Amino acid sequence: MGKGNLKVIVVEAKKLTDVDLFGKSDPYVKLVLGPSKSQSTTIKKGDLNPKYNEEFNFVTEDEKEVKVEVWDRNTIGSDELIGSEVVPLTQVYSDGFLDTWIKIKSSKDKRNHGEVHLTLEFAY
């Protein structure tokens, strides 16, 4: 079903929630595929509507979804999770392509914390 190459382009994000007490969040997007594959975008300092246009390639082994996490980079202490969402790969596997906006939700309050625009391509 899903053994092949998955290309994910993180196009942009918008309306991200500012989780910093002082200043604005410094967001980056982390893509997680299965238990051991992850890649991250660059950090966009002080931008709650960042443009990324960054491409990531994964070799897939029948993974059913990719988890999209948006983090705030902190210079002191641990980075803070702004929100996350799971993108099912069913349509990408069947159509070969998906262009989508996903709503990022916080695990704390389940509210919308912004959106991320992705394009996904799959080839055997």
Side-chain angles (χ1 to χ4, degrees), residues 7-40:
K7 177 169 82 173
V8 181
I9 298 175
V10 178
V11 180
E12 63 184 315
K14 66 180 180 182
K15 301 178 189 168
L16 296 177
T17 300
D18 191 358
V19 295
D20 273 353
L21 293 174
F22 305 102
K24 282 190 178 166
S25 294
D26 303 323
Y28 64 94
V29 178
K30 182 177 180 181
L31 304 170
V32 182
L33 186 70
S36 60
K37 300 174 194 170
S38 69
Q39 298 184 58
S40 299

Side-chain angles (χ1 to χ4, degrees), residues 40-58:
S40 299
T41 65
T42 55
I43 297 161
K44 301 294 183 178
K45 294 195 176 289
D47 192 349
L48 299 177
N49 297 289
K51 306 268 190 263
Y52 293 102
N53 292 310
E54 295 181 34
E55 180 179 314
F56 302 93
N57 292 286
F58 295 93

